[in-house]
Amino acid sequence: MKTIIEPFKIKSVEPLRFTSHKERKAILEKAGYNLFNIHADDVLIDLLTDSGTSAMSAKQWGGMIEGDEAYAGSKSFYRLEQTVKGLTGFRHIIPTHQGRAAEKILFNIMGGRGKIVPNNTHFDTTRANIEISGAEALDLPVAEGLDPSLKKNFKGNMDLAALEALLQKESPQRIPLVMLTVTNNSNAGQPVSMENIRQTSKLCRSYGIPFFLDACRFAENAYFIKLREPGYQNTSIRDIAQEMFSYADGCTMSGKKDGLVNMGGFLALNDDQLAQKARNILVVTEGFPTYGGLAGHDLEAFAYGLDEVLQEDYLRYRIRSVSYLGEKLDALGVPIFHPPGGHAIYLDASAFLPHIPAHEYPGQALACEIYLAGGIRSCEIGSVMFGKTDPASGDFQPAKLEMVRLAIPRRVYTQSHIDYVVECIGHVFQKRVQLKGMRIVYEPPVLRHFTALFEPLKK
Ligand SMILES: *Cc1c(COP(=O)(O)O)cnc(C)c1O
């Protein structure tokens, strides 16, 4: 059979609320044309993020009842610890309430002024935690990763030549660790090859520098390796994931992605001294080392999620359902970032709206129009998020790419929901020449995309 179906049936449903075009127009206006300001109730299909939005399985919900809420020595912690150790091989598993809490602890210990932390591309919370420590967060993506139309297999890779040049130039003391984000979330969810992980690790080892994975989407990355990298077609996903982790000295993880839970994360590492320091901070900021900011029932659901995410029928459906959306949009001529990534489709807003310049925020205009057309919430990833306007001179510095992300929550929407999304975006594409740019009428000093207010331009 060629049809790939959702490998689950639905036991509990959550009704959607439909709104009219007229209602959505008023909602947008009231929200200052910022989709973060819209109540989730007023959204029909929510593709804002894939983080913490997964549907849990009956087994996970059952596990929630079994969760052991003991302050110390909870059996749910030992279940999670055993699962993570089996998967990653790391000696120390430190639970945190989400990924950024693991980052905060790691960079509190390893960051600091004068240091540089390279990554294929830092996720924004990773960058923020490194910068808060006083260190520099350096992105070293491969050049082909920045070309939206190029169809290549592993556009999430680290630029190894650039990394080697950096390691040669700087003294090893300045580089406390090297990170690799799998999949490369900030670069359109593109995967990293096993060869790239292996070579990054080898390079780090030759300079005696610890190597960490940002493992948020390790299972999606492992599936891409199985699909695309020679030699892995007959290897199980668990074996591929174990090999990925085997090259690293530790990892940070947000369970809100490939943990298939609504909340959770961990820091895992091999170094005994570092682990002791991490646990000392954990007790002060998150909680005792056997719960680390999570309820026992969260630990339990997380342990089940990490097993379920490795199931091949799940990953086949997951990766296929994202590429299905990409292929349908591509067939309509809608410009997307190629090839489809693991968790989202990124619309290329500059190619979609070539008449709207970067300083008039084509991604924001497009995201608002998609909401207006069908109640679909997406996320601008362009000059609103990464561009800068100098408050004194008014000089505008655009982002590298103007994109709109359609992130797909795990196990939440069916194929007909996705068909509806395609129809709606196709409709917007038909009338794209009529769309107008946007102007920022209020912006906060940092992370402006969350709270900025906009106004549509008249011409
Ligand atoms: C989501 C994410 C994080 C942060 O995790 P939170 O659970 O949201 O704190 C870090 N890195 C990557 C790549 C992510 O996608």
Side-chain angles (χ1 to χ4, degrees):
M1 294 297 160
K2 283 213 304 274
T3 309
I4 296 173
I5 61 169
E6 286 83 2
F8 49 80
K9 52 188 178 172
I10 296 164
K11 177 171 279 190
S12 176
V13 299
E14 184 179 347
L16 293 174
R17 198 175 80 81
F18 291 83
T19 49
S20 68
H21 191 274
K22 198 173 146 213
E23 284 170 314
R24 289 194 293 273
K25 201 160 180 270
I27 290 165
L28 259 184
E29 208 169 311
K30 193 165 156 239
Y33 298 87
N34 185 335
L35 301 179
F36 283 99
N37 286 337
I38 294 181
H39 291 202
D41 240 13
D42 292 331
V43 175
L44 187 64
I45 309 270
D46 204 345
L47 308 184
L48 184 70
T49 176
D50 66 320
S51 179
T53 53
S54 301
M56 293 209 295
S57 66
K59 204 163 177 183
Q60 286 177 294
W61 282 111
M64 300 270 292
I65 301 285
E66 282 177 27
D68 178 359
E69 305 301 339
Y71 190 100
S74 156
K75 81 173 192 281
S76 302
F77 168 72
Y78 293 114
R79 187 195 293 268
L80 177 68
E81 183 187 46
Q82 195 184 16
T83 303
V84 178
K85 278 189 173 172
L87 173 66
T88 65
F90 297 131
R91 288 158 52 83
H92 301 282
I93 313 303
I94 298 166
T96 57
H97 79 276
Q98 60 184 101
R100 69 196 68 183
E103 293 167 352
K104 179 159 188 270
I105 293 170
L106 182 65
F107 295 113
N108 192 309
I109 303 168
M110 300 187 81
R113 278 170 69 101
K115 295 189 173 157
I116 306 170
V117 182
N119 199 329
N120 49 352
T121 313
H122 287 284
F123 180 66
D124 50 11
T125 61
T126 322
R127 169 174 290 278
N129 276 299
I130 290 169
E131 290 175 353
I132 282 176
S133 84
E136 180 192 344
L138 183 67
D139 291 339
L140 299 175
V142 287
E144 56 198 28
L146 301 175
D147 177 355
S149 60
L150 192 70
K151 291 177 183 165
K152 279 281 212 74
N153 277 341
F154 291 103
K155 288 168 75 176
N157 280 353
M158 172 85 84
D159 184 338
L160 290 164
L163 179 62
E164 182 153 27
L166 178 82
L167 298 183
Q168 275 171 3
K169 193 174 100 201
E170 301 294 343
S171 75
Q173 289 93 301
R174 282 200 72 190
I175 302 171
L177 75 160
V178 171
M179 284 193 100
L180 195 53
T181 304
V182 295
T183 57
N184 193 338
N185 181 11
S186 301
N187 206 20
Q190 298 294 310
V192 177
S193 70
M194 190 73 89
E195 180 61 17
N196 195 255
I197 298 173
R198 200 181 290 126
Q199 293 304 332
T200 305
S201 168
K202 210 169 140 195
L203 205 52
C204 291
R205 298 243 152 110
S206 72
Y207 284 84
I209 296 172
F211 170 51
F212 275 63
L213 291 178
D214 177 337
C216 296
R217 297 179 181 79
F218 74 96
E220 290 169 5
N221 200 90
Y223 193 70
F224 278 118
I225 288 174
K226 181 166 178 122
L227 281 183
R228 298 178 180 175
E229 194 160 347
Y232 289 95
Q233 277 61 50
N234 298 316
T235 313
S236 76
I237 296 296
R238 182 178 290 278
D239 286 347
I240 294 174
Q242 283 169 336
E243 185 182 340
M244 288 164 58
F245 287 112
S246 75
Y247 298 121
D249 302 296
C251 74
T252 54
M253 166 89 191
S254 166
K256 302 174 72 171
K257 289 46 174 273
D258 274 349
L260 296 177
V261 284
N262 306 120
M263 193 50 76
F266 61 78
L267 169 64
L269 37 79
N270 282 331
D271 187 296
D272 297 341
Q273 274 185 322
L274 278 181
Q276 195 175 25
K277 284 189 194 164
R279 288 197 179 100
N280 289 342
I281 299 175
L282 186 83
V283 176
V284 180
T285 60
E286 289 280 296
F288 190 73
T290 60
Y291 72 86
L294 291 168
H297 56 244
D298 290 329
L299 298 165
E300 194 81 22
F302 195 178
Y304 281 123
L306 286 171
D307 275 333
E308 290 177 8
V309 80
L310 294 172
Q311 287 166 14
E312 218 162 310
D313 55 3
Y314 161 73
L315 283 167
R316 183 185 309 118
Y317 138 80
R318 169 71 179 159
I319 298 302
R320 179 61 200 138
S321 60
V322 174
S323 62
Y324 175 86
L325 171 59
E327 284 165 21
K328 291 258 162 164
L329 290 171
D330 189 40
L332 294 177
V334 174
I336 64 164
F337 192 104
H338 289 285
H343 67 292
I345 291 298
Y346 291 71
L347 304 176
D348 181 349
S350 2
F352 198 115
L353 301 171
H355 60 289
I356 302 182
H359 68 271
E360 291 178 6
Y361 308 110
Q364 192 66 19
L366 181 55
C368 286
E369 192 63 27
I370 291 170
Y371 173 75
L372 189 62
I376 298 161
R377 177 155 64 174
S378 54
C379 185
E380 192 264 9
I381 303 206
S383 286
V384 174
M385 197 180 267
F386 295 119
K388 284 194 184 94
T389 315
D390 186 89
S393 66
D395 280 352
F396 172 78
Q397 192 192 324
K400 283 198 196 105
L401 297 169
E402 301 296 333
M403 298 197 284
V404 170
R405 184 180 74 178
L406 308 162
I408 315 294
R410 294 169 180 79
R411 305 193 289 207
V412 171
Y413 294 116
T414 64
Q415 187 170 331
S416 57
H417 289 120
I418 297 298
D419 287 336
Y420 172 85
V421 171
V422 172
E423 184 183 342
C424 183
I425 293 173
H427 179 73
V428 174
F429 190 58
Q430 287 302 315
K431 53 177 281 198
R432 62 190 179 280
V433 293
Q434 297 167 29
L435 267 63
K436 307 273 191 290
M438 292 261 169
R439 188 170 80 83
I440 294 184
V441 293
Y442 160 76
E443 65 175 297
V446 285
L447 295 173
R448 67 177 177 182
H449 56 284
F450 288 124
T451 52
L453 301 174
F454 301 85
E455 215 173 62
L457 293 169
K458 296 280 181 291
K459 57 173 191 98

